[in-house]
Every structure is written in structure tokens, then in C-alpha cells.
Amino acid sequence: MHNTLGTVFQLTTYGASHGQAIGGIVTGCPAGIELDLEFIQKELDRRKPGQSKITTQRKEADEVLFLSGIFEGKTTGTPIAFQIENTNTRSKDYSHIKTVFRPSHADFTYQKKYGIRDYRGGGRSSARETANWVVAGAIAKQIISKMTINAFTSSVGSIFIDKPYQALDFSKTESNIVRCPDSDTAGKMIARIEEIKKQGDTVGGTVTCVIKNVPVGLGEPVFNKLHAALGQAMLSINAVKGFEYGSGFCGAKMTGSAHNDLFNADGTTKSNLSGGIQGGISNGMDIYFRVAFKPVATLMQEQETIDEAGNIVKMQGKGRHDPCVVPRAVVIVESLAAMVMADFSLLNKLTKI
Amino acid sequence: MHNTLGTVFQLTTYGASHGQAIGGIVTGCPAGIELDLEFIQKELDRRKPGQSKITTQRKEADEVLFLSGIFEGKTTGTPIAFQIENTNTRSKDYSHIKTVFRPSHADFTYQKKYGIRDYRGGGRSSARETANWVVAGAIAKQIISKMTINAFTSSVGSIFIDKPYQALDFSKTESNIVRCPDSDTAGKMIARIEEIKKQGDTVGGTVTCVIKNVPVGLGEPVFNKLHAALGQAMLSINAVKGFEYGSGFCGAKMTGSAHNDLFNADGTTKSNLSGGIQGGISNGMDIYFRVAFKPVATLMQEQETIDEAGNIVKMQGKGRHDPCVVPRAVVIVESLAAMVMADFSLLNKLTKI
Amino acid sequence: MHNTLGTVFQLTTYGASHGQAIGGIVTGCPAGIELDLEFIQKELDRRKPGQSKITTQRKEADEVLFLSGIFEGKTTGTPIAFQIENTNTRSKDYSHIKTVFRPSHADFTYQKKYGIRDYRGGGRSSARETANWVVAGAIAKQIISKMTINAFTSSVGSIFIDKPYQALDFSKTESNIVRCPDSDTAGKMIARIEEIKKQGDTVGGTVTCVIKNVPVGLGEPVFNKLHAALGQAMLSINAVKGFEYGSGFCGAKMTGSAHNDLFNADGTTKSNLSGGIQGGISNGMDIYFRVAFKPVATLMQEQETIDEAGNIVKMQGKGRHDPCVVPRAVVIVESLAAMVMADFSLLNKLTKI
Amino acid sequence: MHNTLGTVFQLTTYGASHGQAIGGIVTGCPAGIELDLEFIQKELDRRKPGQSKITTQRKEADEVLFLSGIFEGKTTGTPIAFQIENTNTRSKDYSHIKTVFRPSHADFTYQKKYGIRDYRGGGRSSARETANWVVAGAIAKQIISKMTINAFTSSVGSIFIDKPYQALDFSKTESNIVRCPDSDTAGKMIARIEEIKKQGDTVGGTVTCVIKNVPVGLGEPVFNKLHAALGQAMLSINAVKGFEYGSGFCGAKMTGSAHNDLFNADGTTKSNLSGGIQGGISNGMDIYFRVAFKPVATLMQEQETIDEAGNIVKMQGKGRHDPCVVPRAVVIVESLAAMVMADFSLLNKLTKI
């Protein structure tokens, strides 16, 4: 029950970063959808390591193979299983952490919880898992093809885009390696990441996501509110520390008279500080939210930590790691958002007879 | 499925603010627990309206009645049903909104989604629902009695506590009507709310929650991470716009070398910027998180809005409403946190044979 | 999770036979359905004790009270809570079993599992719970009003209806107290039950259920097959020992050439030994199935049994009990069938976009 | 949600008989269990086609490959993914049914429900799916290694074992190709199947399953009773038409004085007509139940049927099919029983703190 996301459109996943493969099963995908498999692979390519000088140099082919659920190009309504081989695993890169707990990683908690862990590359706790989500998200995008989902890097460290999302041209997001649609800010972000990388350090950032053309009525009160489901999904991403939608934490500083989102005669609203959701249900306006990522915990600097016996030991990151996870996270955020929106689109068919 | 919170310790609720009653069924509560029913009522009293000059003057008895699941003072392992009568409902206060959509409320979205709505007091979308959560939370607290859960008002509008939580004395939270353990800040917050109230306006704020004495190992990767479940629960509260834990959004600005939460020899960590959770699993350190509440949408000022026919109409809040929801939300945050922690405590019994 | 039936149309229940009330919450009922509440009460009256000389003389008012989810006569899409007071509980009738385990009852297993039990009237294990199911079933019937669901007593002890169901007139089921649509057989059944009752003994029987006007396509392979869901529901009824559909156990003796259910040109089938379901999905033909009930375990004869200390003791049924449960079970079988069919009707909306 | 069995120990499956592979993901398997992978393969070999002259001559390698969840021979508490390649698919054997609906198969219902179907070998509706269940069942058996689960062929057509199960020696079940522990009856069954096969016909039968060494307390009232879960699982097997446990349908003919299962002083019972379960909870006695299988629908005789256009056409089974499914079903019944028992063993850890 813990390895499944969604209520109707469901993804159940498996896999550790250094096992034979990762993969998943998508159930609840409606029958008769013509799936563009090339698009799914392209989405996966957006996530894969080694794309640019600011991401890990680890090369993973990340080719997705579908095993079921598609017949003559269309979904059959039966489970869609897929798998991605782990081809370029350098497990020996991890032998130094076999008995060592890396700071701010899940080594310690997995070991204590389960009494056993696959220490290679973080095992099940590795962000490699998110490749599975991108596959399912790329399927979900094809179910809700009328909506558009655009995520982008909105900050790296202290460098923020200082414009509202409405002023951005999302077609430029993929035009630079940091996936920031504002080219000036993108330049500064890239410079910052390169600087951080040189220091063997890492840096955090935020991803903002905007969903347009959302029909009114998606969301299921009271414990399956649309924004709560989006939040739960985003908080599942490795390294995420916060989620806000609409006015978010800023809204908590405002007065009601400034914050209230007044109606136009046609039912649209004026400020959309609501973030497209009222009472947990979409109101037809743009949904937008922001996700906070902490800096990657693996440093190319020496750090002190402990081993299983409780000895203080020194360690330094080996392997190939991202100095900033945010650019690659953009497609992950979009994918989870697509899964949630597809799920709630289907759920809403149950509202009336 | 949308009116249930939790996986093992589950609460399923019903009720609208102006129906006959609200209530719920708690399933999955272990057998043999001696329940302190008086404590449950006291928790409910912390939430109820009319407690002070800065909350709504609406008086609700909010007496909880248990109908099943308890025998000779102990839980029997069967469903615990409870109900709270709606005694002081002034439904005529709401006749003016029968065909009007209040701004930043759920009137519009419920009507569009369901084609029908109980307009009195917001119906199912009313925060009255949270009384149910307090009952279940007060049961949950008795399951995990070794943990302590302390929430408090950490900001009202722009007035923030400027100390880390470690410097606060939680025994003082209940000593003032705004439920802020720092008395100086509390005074400023109360003054601010009174000022806002005079203007017929409202103001937002944040609640911070700290959970101590958490065992290592609670949390279920990958889609039921402890912080994701906490986030999902908190985002279910009416008016919540954001959730962050540990370093939160600030963490996104930091470098890895500053952010990493280094181990002590005994497995505790030095900074706890992790917020007591690593890889979705508790590490034994304090769990702390922050929840952002928007300002209450019902104003005692005239606002423009629309009716069902799309006419622009003027309206002004009637009834009895809170100028700031945060003080009463403190116990709601604690209750949901308790439910999540009880649920994950039980779930963790399944980890090993 | 164990007190809930259904996937979309869900009933969650609570209550013990001698607590204050029993009741439940129906979630997932679509919005906008005009509910006939009088019909629901009438269904409940079909189940209630004291209806005739062959049922228990215990009188229970069994009046259902609705607390939420219905507004101006229509469902709102929010949870429908209901409750039935326990008005005529003679708990002292049960003081003799406080420390005694009745044979073929759940006293022993509840005590061993939970370490505590409400011994009065069987507590949670009492068939009183089924009153909740009748309420939910009567709601479900109004969702799937185009289907007709007819259950009836098909055997009592060794007395069987010796006609196929197609030869029966279901309008006569309610014309006699044993609820057998064949009046000759009904007479024999009643005589047999009266005889058994005089002996202080009880007798088992079977209920057959026929569902007509079922659309093609209901049922969700592979672990939510329509007949598996019907079977799971029926096996939840107190005293049920077996379930078969279509050709059932007889089918196991047949050859394929005799058993195969050949098609007519219009897609209907010739023999319907399939029982209206093929591969777990309805094929549009009548669904029919049979449910086996053991004899009631409470006898008005002396029996040997044991107490909690392991002493052999003698006991005799007190209170007011049915000599044969089957006539009152007819409406329970129908109700569960209705819940399952309503649930799968809704689920089938998710099959295609 | 429809492709998953179990609540805690869960199997989610995928695959069609002529796709690239079938497989599944087991979640909720506790950490730290040393898995005997050879045993799993042996169980799979018991199910595979081509074992004897009375089963299909189709040869399938049915080699299971594990992809995750096992590290250094032990379960890690993370999802166990496995897959079985479809190596010997003769899809052209099925080209004759591309547009034809086979009688008593799922072709018609899948086509009508989904609007599309993989017609080759029945696609998702193929019993090939049950190979997945055997893998998961063989894992489950290792979780509940103290229980013993023995299923066997108890009837073929009208040939029944005429002894109670207590008189049988289960160590002989595998000593003959029909998997009947009574060698005389086995001989008659085999002769009957050979005769039927010569006629191009098929025959039904029953499988009985006995579970010993069950602890008291497994089972979750009221909608997750142990026997209801066993029934739901068994009714998921292709071709199953009925399920009964303990006294079953015979019990419906009995009187209470004959049927009641009196206690011995030690809490064991005398007749065990209860079938090891009282009130949905195991009482520590043997659990036994019987499952009815209809005759295989694919005949090597000419039959009339219809095509998608509604034309009457003649068809005859091609490919390689079983004349009687029961001998191969024995291991499937055991596997599902093991999954249910493992699931409920884990669930029972949640009963008390």
C-alpha cells in the first residue's frame, strides 16, 4: 500500500538503484487510449543524468520497456507494466558506505527500520525511483491532454525569478540547462551551480508548476482535496522539504480583504491567490504551486559521520552526483502533477450518475 | 475513500455544519486501551468557538457522544463511533447566500461539482468538520502516549516568534488566548487580531508543531513517507496554503555543506535541519513542521461577488466568524499529527515478523 | 479497512447489539439522487425481528435516522450517515454468558483475539449489524433502479424448491412468512421450522438471489471479479458457509460440451449456466447465485460448553432467537447484492474516457 | 485497485498470455526473511503445463526472475518484483478467434467492456495469470512456515473421494498426476480424464484445501472475515463457480443440535463443522474449504458460436488445452490460501498494542 500512488489511476513501483531493474505497474488507465511511446521516452530523457555540465555525469540509458497493457498501440484497460534496466551501475563506488551512514541520507533510518538495507546507491531510497514516475506521468499526460502542465526552476539558492509566472514564456524552459524560462535568471543560476560544483558543494532550489485548462470540479473533499493530493505527491520526491500553492506562505501574512479572490461575472476570479483550488476542488483557474528542494546531501568534500558501530569516520562522496537536483526535478514535478490530475479527472466521473 | 484519513488507524467522517450532527467512525484502534473520555472532551473544548474575545462568538456545546467500540472503559478493537450534535445553528444567518457564491469559499466549486449544495454555513466544506478530527486525534494521543505533540501559533500576519522552538516553553501555550508560548509575541498578536477585527477584516498566520520522543523507524517509503502523510493531513485543514518541515523553504536557499545534518556517535544528529525525518522515516530526533493558514474569507465588510445567475451582487458576512483562525487551529494541527503518528506507529509493527 | 464494504460506493459500519446504537456512513453515493426514505424503512422492516411466528419474538423498532448527506430530499455527494438506536436490549438475558463461550458462536475467538469482548448479545459479532447493510442496500437499490434484485428462501433443511428460478413468480416471495415464492414448498418449510422450534432446535437453509437487467460490462478483473465480490459480500453474512453462482458445485460434475453456454446471434446465451458472468464481467444475462446458511447456534436446549477458565458448564439459550435465520436473511442478501452492483456500476464509468 | 490481492501482504500483477511477460510486485513482505528461491521455482513447476498426459501439452519454461526486494538472500522490506517470460506463445493458434467470441470464455465480455481486447490466448483473462499467484504464494508460505497448507483434487466429474480429509495422507498428493491423495480414487479420476480427453471434451472437479497449525485470532470482522477473504481469493481463480468452508452447503441441511461444534475443555472443538473459523476469526482448529471448478470451455469438438458481427460461425479449439483444470489448480489454491493466511497473520499484529 505504500508503494502505490493514486486512487484510480495508480502507479505501483519497485526497484533499487543497483538492482537489476526498476519499474512499475500502472493500473486504472482507461482503455482505448492511443499511447505515444516516443513521447514517454522523451520525457524520460529530460530526467536522465548526464544531460549537461550541471548535472551528474553518470550516464544511464534509461530506456523504458513496456511489457503489458498495450495492444496494437492502444491501452486495453489492463495493467501497463514497464521496466527500466539498471545498466550503468558502478556498485563499487558504494563499497565505502557499506557500513557507514551518510549524513542527511536514508542509510541510518532504513537500517534501523528494516534491519537490512541495500546500501548500493541508496537502494530503494535512491532518486532513481523517480524515473518510474516520469514514465507513469507521461502516460497520465496523454489521458488529460487538454490540460497543460509546465514546471520550471524558479530558484537556485538565493537566485529567484522576480516575475509572476504569467510573465514567463514556458516554451523557453527547455532552452537552457537549468530549465528556467527567464533567460537572465537562468544564466545566473547556471553560474551559481557551476561555482558550487567547483567547491564540491551542492545547493537547493525550488520548482514552480503551473497547470492550465483545468476543468471545474476536480478534487474530493474532505481528505482527498486536490491540493492535498498534489502536496502529498510532491512531498514524496526525494529532497523535498516544503509545498505551497496559490498564495502559500505569503498568504499567511495577508489580510482577508487583500487576499480574497473576487469573482468576475463569468465565474472566473480576479487575483487567483486561491491557486485555482477552493475548498479542495478546482475552480477552473490556473493551478500553481511551489516545491522546495534541499541541497543534495552527497558532497565532494570530506565530512565526518558515523559507521554502524558508532565510530566517528571521515567520508567523501564518490560516484557521480548532481550539484543541484532542481533542473532534473522539473520533469518529475510535472509527472507527479499529471498523475494526480489524471487520477482526479477519472474520480470526478463518479460524482454524479 | 475520500472521507477517510489513515491506513490502519482510520477516521471516516460525516456531517455538515447545519445538519443534525457531525461525527465519525474510528477503525483500527487497538483493543484494550483505557480511554480517558474527559481528556477527549477537553481537547474538543480547546477547538470550540466562543472561547475568547478573539474567536467567533458563536457558542457550540460541542459535546461528544460515543456510540460504540468502548466497553467497560476500554477499547474493544471494534469501530468507535462518535457524534457531536449541531445545537446552535442559526441557519437563517445563511439565507442571504443561498444563491450567492462567497469569494474564496467553496460555494462555487461545490455547486459546480455536485450540482447541489447545502449552502447553510458552508455545508460539508465548513471547518466544523475539524471537530471530528479533534475527537479522533484525542484518541490517537492516547495510543502514542509516550510521544508529546505541541503545536502553537508561530505567526499572525507579519508578527512572528523570532526564536527557535527549542527556546520556547510549551507549557505556556495555553496561557494566552492566541496560543503563542512566547508571551511578548502573544501580546502583539492579540493586539493585531483585535485591530483587524475592528476593521471587519481578517488575518492569516502559521502554526508550528513539534513532536518529541518519536521512535526511529516510522514512515513507509516511497509513497507513504512520514512527512508526506503529515503534509497531506495538514493540507486537508480548511484555509491551509502551505506545509514545510525541518529546514523547509529556507533549506532550498542553503548549500549542502551548511545543510547536512551530521551525526553524533550515538546516532542523534547535530542540527536537525532534517526535521526528524530522513528518507521519509523518522530518525528519532524532534519532528517539526509549519503550516500556513490564509486569512478567513468571511469579512464583516461589504464585498462584491456573483450569484448563481452570474449577476454581480454585494454581500457582507453575517453570522459569527473568526477574525483569525490560527489560535483555534492549534489543536486541529496537533490532532491530525497525532492521528498520523498513531497510524505510522501501528504500521511499523508490520515491518518485520 | 475491515469495517468497510465496497470500492466506490462504500459502507463503513459500527455498533454492537447492546450498545447505544448501530449505524454507518455511506460514502461515494453520487450527488443528485432523490432518495425515497420510506422505502429504506420498509426494507428495514423486512429484516426486523418479531415479524412472524417463525422468527424471533424480540421486538426492535429499528427506525433509521439520517444525519447527513441528504439536502432537500436529494443526495449531495457527501457522506450519508445513519443510525439505528438499540431500544429493546435485554442485556440481562446475556449475563449468563459473561464468562461462558457459546458453541459455534464468536465468543471464544473474539475473546482470544482482542483480549476483551462485549459479551452482551454477541457484541460486534451479532447479526444486528446486518440492519446497517439493509439501509445501505436500500440506498444502493435506488442508484441502480433499472436492475431488479430478487432473493428468496430456496431451501430450509432438506426441503428444496424443485423448480428452476425461471418458473417462479417473485411477486409471491413476500406473500408468506418464510419468503419462498413457491407456495407449496413454503407451506412445508413453515411446518418444518415450527416443528424444529418446538424442539428448541434450529435449522439451516439457503437463499437464492436473481439479478435481472444487468448491463454488460460490470466486473473488474482480475482480483475484483463481479462474482468474487458478490461471494465476499455474502460470506460476510453471519452463519453463511458457502456461495455458488451459475452452475456452481453442480457445474463441477459436468462436461464442457454440456456446460458451455452457447451464444445466440444477438449476444445473449442459451443455457446461462455461466450465471450472467464470464471472466468476472457481467454478460447481460441474469445473474443468479445461492448462499448456504448453517443452523442458528443458539438453541433452547441444554448444551455443554466451557467457560473462560476451561470448566465444562451447561448452558441453554435465553433471550429471543430465530429457529431459522433464512427468511430474515432474504433482504440481507438482496441488500448486499445491491451494494455490490451499485459499486460496480460506478466503477465501470472508469473503464473508458 | 482491481489487480491487487491482499491488504498488507499484497500482490499486484500484470500480463497477458501472449504479451512479452507476466509478473507482479509483492509489497508488504516483512524484512529479513531468508527466501528459498528454489522452492518458489518448484512450486511454479507444479503449476506449469505439459507435466503429464492429462494436462495440456503446451510447454512453458515458466522460469521466474526476481528483479528487486531481495538483497544477499533476504527480503529487504521493499517491493519484490518478479517476471516470467512468455516464451512458448503460438499466437497464430489464436488467429481464428480474432473476431470470434468463444462460448463460456471472456472474449465477449472483455470486448464489450473495454472496446478492445488482446484476443491471443485470452489475453489478460488467461489462466496464465495464475503463475504469478504461485510465485507470491510460495513467498507467503515462507512467511507462515509454521502452518501447513495442503490442497488436493477431491473430485473429477462425479468421481469423489469418499473419505473425510482426516483419513487422507497428504504426502501422497504429488504421487499421482491428478494430485489426489487417495490412490484408488486417483486411478479412477485419471481414467475418467483420459476418456474425456479422447472425446475432445473436458470435465470439471473440485479442490479441497486443509490448513493446519493456524493460530487463534486470524480474521478481521466484519467485512474482512477470514473465510470471506479465502472465498474472494478462490473465486478469483479462472473457472471457479463455488466456495464452501467447514460444513458448507451440507450444513444448510442440518439442525443446530447436530451442527453445533462443542468445545473441549482446552478450547479445541469436537466436530469442527465450523471449519476452523468462528465469527470470521480462526479458532485454532483446521481450516478446510472446497472450491468448485467448471469444465474447461475450450473443446476439441466443433461448436457453434458468433463473431463480432453477430454471425453464427463454427469453431473448434486449437492450441493446447487441459481436459481438466483441477490437477494444476491444486497449487493455485494453496498459493492463494497462503497469501491470505500470510496477510491475516500480519494484520493480526495490529489487534493490540
Side-chain angles (χ1 to χ4, degrees), chain C residues 133 235-238, chain D residues 219-229 279-280 344:
Chain C
W133 309 353
L235 289 160
S236 301
I237 307 175
N238 308 52
Chain D
E220 303 293 332
V222 299
F223 290 122
N224 213 5
K225 289 180 170 131
L226 184 53
H227 59 268
F344 280 81

Side-chain angles (χ1 to χ4, degrees), chain D residues 32-182:
Chain D
I33 295 175
E34 210 152 331
L35 277 190
D36 181 344
L37 302 183
E38 213 173 311
F39 170 74
I40 299 170
Q41 186 59 52
K42 271 185 194 157
E43 287 285 281
L44 209 42
D45 292 346
R46 289 175 69 200
R47 195 211 74 101
K48 83 175 173 190
Q51 297 174 59
S52 78
K53 60 185 174 181
I54 61 165
T55 62
T56 167
Q57 293 309 300
R58 203 168 58 239
K59 302 270 186 202
E60 286 164 4
D62 279 3
E63 271 170 34
V64 62
L65 175 70
F66 288 95
L67 300 170
S68 68
I70 305 167
F71 184 62
E72 299 178 346
K74 287 187 180 164
T75 59
T76 60
T78 64
I80 302 171
F82 63 87
Q83 105 183 17
I84 303 167
E85 296 280 329
N86 289 328
T87 51
N88 185 13
T89 52
R90 302 210 312 223
S91 303
K92 68 180 179 328
D93 278 356
Y94 295 92
S95 57
H96 67 301
I97 60 158
K98 185 170 181 174
T99 58
V100 169
F101 299 131
R102 292 169 298 167
S104 287
H105 273 278
D107 302 337
F108 176 81
T109 52
Y110 267 68
Q111 185 66 40
K112 294 294 176 186
K113 180 178 183 74
Y114 297 107
I116 181 176
R117 78 182 200 279
D118 179 352
Y119 59 84
R120 301 164 306 166
R124 180 69 179 149
S125 76
S126 164
R128 179 146 180 73
E129 159 73 7
T130 60
N132 290 327
W133 309 353
V134 173
V135 173
I139 294 172
K141 283 184 177 179
Q142 301 185 53
I143 297 177
I144 50 164
S145 52
K146 284 177 196 159
M147 300 188 209
T148 59
I149 301 178
N150 284 291
F152 57 91
T153 298
S154 47
S155 75
V156 167
S158 300
I159 302 166
F160 278 77
I161 303 180
D162 58 357
K163 297 170 187 161
Y165 79 79
Q166 291 87 345
L168 301 174
D169 176 359
F170 296 144
S171 72
K172 294 194 178 152
T173 301
E174 294 293 319
S175 71
N176 59 65
I177 57 179
V178 78
R179 294 203 168 94
C180 172
D182 186 68

Side-chain angles (χ1 to χ4, degrees), chain A residues 19 27 33 46-47 71 78 82 87-88 123-124 132 145 181 195 199 211 217 245 284 300 337-338 343-344:
Chain A
T27 57
I33 295 176
R46 288 175 69 200
R47 195 211 75 101
F71 185 62
T78 65
F82 63 87
T87 51
N88 184 13
R124 180 71 176 148
N132 290 327
S145 52
E195 179 190 14
Q199 297 163 7
I211 314 176
Y245 80 105
M300 297 297 137
D343 194 28
F344 279 82

Side-chain angles (χ1 to χ4, degrees), chain C residues 1-5 7 11 13 101-106 108-110 112-115 124 129 133 155-158 160 192 196 201-206 216-225 227-229 231-232 235-238 240-249 251-267 273-275 277-279 281-283 290-299 301 303-306 310 312 336 347-348 350-352, chain D residues 1-5 7-8 11 13 101-106 108-110 112-115 124 129 133 155-158 160 192 196 201-206 216-225 227-229 231-232 235-238 240-249 251-267 273-275 277-279 281-283 290-299 301 303-306 310 312 336 347-348 350-352:
Chain C
M1 41 191 163
H2 312 305
N3 295 278
T4 299
L5 187 76
T7 303
L11 170 67
T13 67
F101 299 131
R102 293 170 296 168
S104 287
H105 272 279
F108 175 82
T109 51
Y110 267 68
K112 295 294 178 189
K113 181 180 182 72
Y114 296 108
R124 180 71 178 148
E129 158 73 6
W133 309 353
S155 74
V156 168
S158 297
F160 279 77
R192 176 74 180 129
I196 280 285
D201 208 343
T202 60
V203 67
T206 59
V216 183
L218 308 191
E220 302 294 333
V222 297
F223 290 121
N224 213 6
K225 289 178 170 134
H227 59 269
Q232 195 269 346
L235 289 160
S236 301
I237 307 175
N238 308 52
V240 168
K241 304 298 286 185
F243 170 86
E244 59 179 5
Y245 80 104
S247 61
F249 277 89
K253 297 184 189 166
M254 294 173 74
T255 60
S257 55
H259 190 275
N260 271 2
D261 189 11
L262 301 183
F263 283 104
N264 299 310
D266 62 359
L273 287 174
S274 300
I277 302 172
Q278 280 167 338
I281 300 168
S282 64
N283 70 351
R290 207 159 65 97
V291 185
F293 291 81
K294 69 170 188 178
V296 170
T298 300
L299 311 184
Q301 300 176 349
Q303 296 180 95
E304 273 198 348
T305 192
I306 58 168
I312 300 284
L336 288 172
L347 280 171
N348 199 35
L350 304 171
T351 305
K352 302 175 209 160
Chain D
M1 42 192 165
H2 311 305
N3 294 280
T4 299
L5 187 75
T7 303
V8 167
L11 171 67
T13 66
F101 299 131
R102 292 169 298 167
S104 287
H105 273 278
F108 176 81
T109 52
Y110 267 68
K112 294 294 176 186
K113 180 178 183 74
Y114 297 107
R124 180 69 179 149
E129 159 73 7
W133 309 353
S155 75
V156 167
S158 300
F160 278 77
R192 177 72 180 130
I196 281 285
D201 209 342
T202 62
V203 67
T206 60
V216 184
L218 308 191
E220 303 293 332
V222 299
F223 290 122
N224 213 5
K225 289 180 170 131
H227 59 268
Q232 195 267 347
L235 288 160
S236 302
I237 307 176
N238 308 51
V240 168
K241 303 299 286 186
F243 170 85
E244 59 179 4
Y245 80 104
S247 61
F249 276 89
K253 297 185 188 166
M254 294 173 75
T255 60
S257 55
H259 190 275
N260 271 3
D261 189 10
L262 301 184
F263 283 104
N264 298 311
D266 62 356
L273 287 174
S274 300
I277 302 172
Q278 281 168 335
I281 300 170
S282 64
N283 69 352
R290 208 158 64 96
V291 185
F293 291 81
K294 69 170 189 179
V296 171
T298 300
L299 310 184
Q301 301 176 347
Q303 296 179 96
E304 271 197 351
T305 193
I306 58 170
I312 302 284
L336 288 171
L347 280 170
N348 199 36
L350 304 171
T351 305
K352 301 174 210 160

